Amino acid sequence: IAHMFSDIEQLLGKTLGYDSQCILLMMHDQYGLPVEVIYMLISYCVSIGKANLAYIAKVGKTWGEKEIDTIEKADEQIKTLNLCLGVWKQFATLAGIPNPKPTSSQAAYLNTWTVELKFSVDMIYLAYEEMLDHSGKISFAYMNKVLMNWHEKGLKTPEDVEKDKQAFREKNQKKKDTDTSYDMAEFNRRAESLPVYKKGV
């Protein structure tokens, strides 16, 4: 543990106070994170510019809950986090969002969309545009509903979405034409059943 404190001080570039040492001990003893995993976690936090102990403790708690307790698991988690951060940067650029990093809630959505559902940035941005068409504010929850719907339909590309929309429009037009034909037929039937009045009778 003493070596861990010394190494982490070098990683953070500062001396650890008593409170900081307590946080690291909590990550090790209560969250069950081995020393080498704590090193990897802190190195990741430093790489994204969030080297404060409060943030490190928050990430440590999450890793503990997810049982990220081996070097292999930590490596996989860091790869996933970096992937989501890269997707965020591309998406934020397309959407004109100035935030350099997503919130924890937004990061969770991105993880679901990119890692679990395998959606591209283009599809995420398309869902963003769908959201803007129906809502006056940014709602990742709404975007999630859109992407979940596309996933259930097997739509994987913007071209797939456009084809689905076209099929929906054609179906609606066909129904509209059918309803119109029915209305005209009903009108003619009713007209034929009306009594005919002859002039002078």
Side-chain angles (χ1 to χ4, degrees):
I1 297 299
H3 282 300
M4 179 180 75
F5 289 158
S6 176
D7 290 342
I8 290 175
E9 283 180 342
Q10 292 184 24
L11 281 173
L12 297 178
K14 63 182 179 180
T15 302
L16 295 174
Y18 176 75
D19 290 343
S20 298
Q21 291 180 355
C22 287
I23 288 174
L24 294 172
L25 284 174
M26 178 176 65
M27 289 167 62
H28 182 271
D29 297 338
Q30 294 186 28
Y31 300 162
L33 302 182
V35 171
E36 58 271 19
V37 171
I38 294 176
Y39 287 156
M40 295 177 73
L41 185 156
I42 292 177
S43 294
Y44 167 74
C45 291
V46 170
S47 73
I48 63 172
K50 291 191 174 183
N52 64 82
L53 265 295
Y55 183 80
I56 289 171
K58 183 178 179 181
V59 176
K61 185 173 186 296
T62 300
W63 284 26
E65 291 170 348
K66 291 183 176 181
E67 298 183 352
I68 301 173
D69 51 10
T70 66
I71 291 176
E72 292 75 19
K73 289 179 181 178
D75 184 58
E76 189 64 31
Q77 177 69 4
I78 289 171
K79 286 179 180 177
T80 297
L81 291 171
N82 284 330
L83 171 64
C84 290
L85 183 58
V87 169
W88 170 262
K89 289 180 178 178
Q90 295 179 61
F91 165 72
T93 299
L94 290 171
I97 299 174
N99 301 19
K101 297 180 182 67
T103 65
S104 57
S105 175
Q106 291 169 339
Y109 278 122
L110 286 173
N111 181 70
T112 298
W113 301 339
T114 58
V115 178
E116 296 179 27
L117 303 183
K118 309 297 184 184
F119 278 124
S120 66
V121 175
D122 288 341
M123 287 293 280
I124 294 173
Y125 181 68
L126 193 59
Y128 172 80
E129 290 186 317
E130 289 281 329
M131 174 210 68
L132 290 181
D133 287 341
H134 295 85
S135 175
K137 60 181 180 179
I138 297 178
S139 170
F140 271 57
Y142 189 97
M143 289 171 62
N144 188 58
K145 290 180 180 179
V146 172
L147 288 166
M148 284 295 185
N149 181 50
W150 289 347
H151 178 70
E152 290 173 2
K153 289 182 175 181
L155 309 180
K156 299 179 180 180
T157 67
E159 291 75 20
D160 291 340
V161 174
E162 183 55 38
K163 289 178 182 177
D164 183 70
K165 288 183 176 180
Q166 182 61 34
F168 180 77
R169 287 192 291 265
E170 290 175 356
K171 182 180 178 181
N172 275 356
Q173 185 60 48
K174 185 176 180 181
K175 183 178 183 300
K176 183 179 178 181
D177 293 343
T178 301
D179 290 344
T180 301
S181 299
Y182 174 81
D183 290 342
M184 287 301 298
E186 180 65 13
F187 174 79
N188 291 332
R189 186 187 67 78
R190 289 176 179 273
E192 290 173 358
S193 66
L194 293 173
V196 178
Y197 295 95
K198 296 181 180 180
K199 187 176 181 181
V201 177

